[in-house]
Amino acid sequence: MIFYTCSYIPLEILMGTGRDFERLLSVTPSSCHELGCNLCGYAKTVYGAGMELDKGDFLLVADSCDAMRRVGDLLNESSRAGVFIMRLPWKRDELAVEFMASEVLRLIGFLEKKGIDVNLLAGIERFNDLIDHVRSLEATLEGRDLTELYLSALNGLKHVPTGSVDKGKTSGKNFGLAGGIVDMSEIDGIIESAGGVITLNETCLGARPFASRTRIGKDPALSVAQRLIGWRAPCGRFSEKAENEYGELDGLLYAIPKFCDFYDFTRNTSDSKIYRAEIDYPLNSHGQIATRVGALLEKNSARRSKMEKGGGSFFLGIDSGSTTTNGVLTDSTGKILHWKTIRTGINAMASARRLYEELISQSVGTKEEVARIVATGYGRELIDFADETVTEISCHARAVSTLFPSARGIVDIGGQDSKVIKLSTEGKVEDFSMNDRCAAGTGRFLEVMAKVLELDPEEMASLASRSSRELSISSVCTVFAESEVVSLIGRGEKIEDISAGLFNAIVKRVAAMYARLGSPEPLVFTGGVARNAGVVHAMERVFKRKVILPEVPDIMGAYGAALFATDRQEKGQ
């Protein structure tokens, strides 16, 4: 069996062998001890799969980056399979085409030396036939059918949809993918759960390898090289910018492989429909991606669901977070009637239902009095009694813009994540940034440090107000910061100064996101951590501006959800 790792490995050659071949897309997690941990997930996946191949197998690797070059070299030494490493140029000029043509010939020579005949002309004809098939269908397919079309073609196969071919048959909004390699076995479901459907895929596992036919000329190897180097949307390895032909999309996720050398994390500010996100391979952050995609669609006014009208006159918003679950009950004008907060615990669904029942029993009496329930937060999809789900990004924006119409920025620090939201003059989400992969700069960070100091967070705030010396907590990681605090205590530093340093550390984690969005003001501080006076003081000092505090900052997500419920009622949805 022939396996290959990159779309710059010419399909014309593989199809010219007459043998079965497969794009290596195993999603089995691989340990990192042989390679080091700071390596992209796909490189580790290739290494793990390559070490399991047998003597009769062949693995074709492209040195598309330093990580893949390293993986190829290691597999060439250690794998039982026959390994070929294809060198790629750095530019896309005439010299690059000539170099690529020489690599095409070198690959053919490698295969023929291993006893595999290659009829390149026949391979070009078969490839062009496959291209015609893909291009005849891709404009009519979406979602999982579109993904299957591309993945089948990458293995030299023609996918034929089983159902009716009708783009737009789903209710999801048009969503696109671009950038680096993405785990396509999971991404469709995540996009669908956020209210979208993939209608464009410009990654190397999508339309990118099938953008054009191969010209049949006097020099077949040169023709193949010209097609590869002339891709409309080249790999991030190349310095030239890709042409952004994203069409009429409601949102696009630009995937940046974790630890990638070439797909940088620079924020795209020219198009409000594009969100750049670091994504590992295989996917291990389903909820976070769904939140980002959902917020992207919502901020572009792209997501609306129709529901039957309830008979009651009250509206409930539930924010199911990692630490607490909050509920807010409003009337039809958006006035808060009752609110409640409980610990989420290990069962988010059970906690949300308990909060729902307690809030109803303590206020309106019967569930029939509630016309709409909207859920938000990381556990929103688990709340099966909700009529609709909306991301916490949109809910915080909705609540803050209602209470503080002049606000242009929101900093929200919760138990396990932090986020910054930029608002338009109309109070809509204009941009946002999130940290939901690390406890640094969150309520969890504060809880851990308070435990080390044998204080509660409120006592830390009181002590920090008497600080006389600025201490810097330099460690980004919560675990390392804990060790650093222990060392400071051992050095005899005052608890007052350590507490103040910890509050500054929390704020500085958020400050980078805030600056990235242009430091919008007036600024509202929400989330449970906003209750801590020490963090508020540190934020005002670091940001050099006053921040606005809601009366109950930790229920803003739930309040926004309740307001969305009233909006839907008014529109009869």
Side-chain angles (χ1 to χ4, degrees), residues 167-238:
K167 194 166 190 174
K169 63 185 176 183
T170 65
S171 59
K173 296 301 178 179
N174 294 337
F175 200 82
L177 289 177
I181 190 167
V182 178
D183 177 6
M184 296 306 301
S185 67
E186 300 280 355
I187 196 68
D188 277 302
I190 294 174
I191 301 300
E192 289 169 7
S193 71
V197 61
I198 296 176
T199 57
L200 179 140
N201 183 345
E202 281 287 1
T203 70
C204 57
L205 300 184
R208 192 191 294 170
F210 307 107
S212 63
R213 304 171 95 246
T214 299
R215 179 182 58 84
I216 300 177
K218 294 181 180 179
D219 186 343
L222 186 65
S223 297
V224 171
Q226 288 171 337
R227 178 189 70 83
L228 293 171
I229 298 300
W231 277 359
R232 180 182 72 252
C235 172
R237 169 190 178 89
F238 298 99

Side-chain angles (χ1 to χ4, degrees), residues 45-117:
T45 294
V46 169
Y47 178 76
M51 291 300 293
E52 295 178 358
L53 297 181
D54 293 324
K55 192 172 182 180
D57 293 325
F58 298 94
L59 178 60
L60 312 182
V61 180
D63 71 339
S64 51
C65 63
D66 289 341
M68 289 305 300
R69 183 184 303 112
R70 182 179 177 190
V71 166
D73 290 341
L74 286 171
L75 289 174
N76 196 30
E77 295 175 358
S78 307
S79 176
R80 294 186 297 271
V83 177
F84 176 85
I85 304 173
M86 189 170 195
R87 308 300 179 187
L88 299 182
W90 289 99
K91 295 184 178 181
R92 298 204 301 156
D93 53 20
E94 291 184 8
L95 290 177
V97 173
E98 292 177 8
F99 177 82
M100 196 68 176
S102 69
E103 288 296 291
V104 169
L105 293 175
R106 195 167 68 87
L107 174 54
I108 293 174
F110 167 82
L111 292 172
E112 291 183 339
K113 188 176 180 180
K114 298 295 184 179
I116 301 176
D117 292 330

Side-chain angles (χ1 to χ4, degrees), residues 178-472:
I181 190 167
V182 178
D183 177 6
M184 296 306 301
S185 67
E186 300 280 355
I187 196 68
D188 277 302
I190 294 174
I191 301 300
E192 289 169 7
S193 71
V197 61
I198 296 176
T199 57
L200 179 140
N201 183 345
E202 281 287 1
T203 70
C204 57
L205 300 184
R208 192 191 294 170
F210 307 107
S212 63
R213 304 171 95 246
T214 299
R215 179 182 58 84
I216 300 177
K218 294 181 180 179
D219 186 343
L222 186 65
S223 297
V224 171
Q226 288 171 337
R227 178 189 70 83
L228 293 171
I229 298 300
W231 277 359
R232 180 182 72 252
C235 172
R237 169 190 178 89
F238 298 99
S239 58
E240 294 89 343
K241 289 187 177 180
E243 298 176 23
N244 295 331
E245 298 177 359
Y246 297 142
E248 297 298 323
L249 295 175
D250 296 302
L252 181 134
L253 178 66
Y254 192 90
I256 302 166
K258 194 174 182 181
F259 302 118
C260 184
D261 296 330
F262 303 119
Y263 288 97
D264 64 70
F265 205 74
T266 303
R267 173 170 292 275
N268 187 311
T269 57
S270 62
D271 193 332
S272 64
K273 293 184 179 181
I274 298 176
Y275 190 83
R276 303 171 72 90
E278 188 180 61
I279 297 178
D280 206 355
Y281 187 101
L283 282 171
N284 58 8
S285 52
H286 299 62
Q288 294 95 322
I289 298 173
T291 294
R292 286 169 163 83
V293 171
L296 185 65
L297 293 173
E298 289 164 1
K299 86 182 185 72
N300 288 310
S301 300
R303 190 180 183 199
R304 292 289 183 267
S305 63
K306 294 183 179 180
M307 303 170 292
E308 292 183 3
K309 211 168 186 177
S313 55
F314 301 99
F315 304 86
L316 177 62
I318 297 179
D319 182 0
S320 177
S322 58
T323 304
T324 61
T325 299
N326 305 305
V328 171
L329 191 74
T330 71
D331 61 16
S332 59
T333 68
K335 179 182 178 181
I336 297 177
L337 303 177
H338 298 276
W339 64 271
K340 189 176 184 66
T341 296
I342 64 173
R343 300 288 293 186
T344 299
I346 62 172
N347 192 327
M349 174 62 206
S351 299
R353 186 168 290 281
R354 178 163 66 87
L355 178 137
Y356 171 43
E357 292 174 349
E358 291 179 3
L359 201 55
I360 294 301
S361 65
Q362 295 167 10
S363 54
V364 297
T366 64
K367 296 177 181 178
E368 288 71 23
E369 292 295 317
V370 178
R372 292 278 187 277
I373 302 175
V374 171
T376 190
Y378 280 146
R380 62 187 180 277
E381 300 296 341
L382 300 175
I383 303 177
D384 57 4
F385 55 85
D387 298 297
E388 183 186 5
T389 62
V390 179
T391 66
E392 56 267 39
I393 301 289
S394 297
C395 286
H396 277 83
R398 183 74 174 84
V400 167
S401 63
T402 297
L403 295 175
F404 311 100
S406 64
R408 295 296 174 264
I410 303 170
V411 169
D412 177 72
I413 304 180
Q416 299 284 359
D417 76 346
S418 55
K419 60 183 76 73
V420 179
I421 305 168
K422 182 178 182 180
L423 300 176
S424 68
T425 54
E426 295 80 25
K428 305 292 185 182
V429 176
E430 189 171 297
D431 204 351
F432 63 92
S433 183
M434 297 178 66
N435 167 34
D436 50 14
R437 296 187 174 213
C438 174
T442 69
R444 178 58 181 162
F445 178 91
L446 188 57
E447 287 181 356
V448 171
M449 299 309 149
K451 185 176 181 181
V452 173
L453 296 176
E454 298 182 353
L455 300 168
D456 61 43
E458 288 69 29
E459 290 173 322
M460 286 178 62
S462 177
L463 289 170
S465 66
R466 301 195 293 272
S467 173
S468 59
R469 180 167 177 257
E470 184 171 331
L471 288 179
S472 175

Side-chain angles (χ1 to χ4, degrees), residues 449-518:
M449 299 309 149
K451 185 176 181 181
V452 173
L453 296 176
E454 298 182 353
L455 300 168
D456 61 43
E458 288 69 29
E459 290 173 322
M460 286 178 62
S462 177
L463 289 170
S465 66
R466 301 195 293 272
S467 173
S468 59
R469 180 167 177 257
E470 184 171 331
L471 288 179
S472 175
I473 309 297
S474 58
S475 299
V476 173
C477 174
T478 300
V479 176
F480 293 153
E482 182 179 1
S483 299
E484 189 174 349
V485 168
V486 171
S487 297
L488 291 172
I489 295 172
R491 273 171 28 194
E493 298 289 355
K494 294 182 179 179
I495 301 300
E496 292 90 336
D497 298 331
I498 295 174
S499 297
L502 288 168
F503 292 138
N504 287 336
I506 291 174
V507 171
K508 287 177 180 178
R509 303 292 184 270
V510 182
M513 293 190 293
Y514 182 60
R516 198 180 304 144
L517 297 189

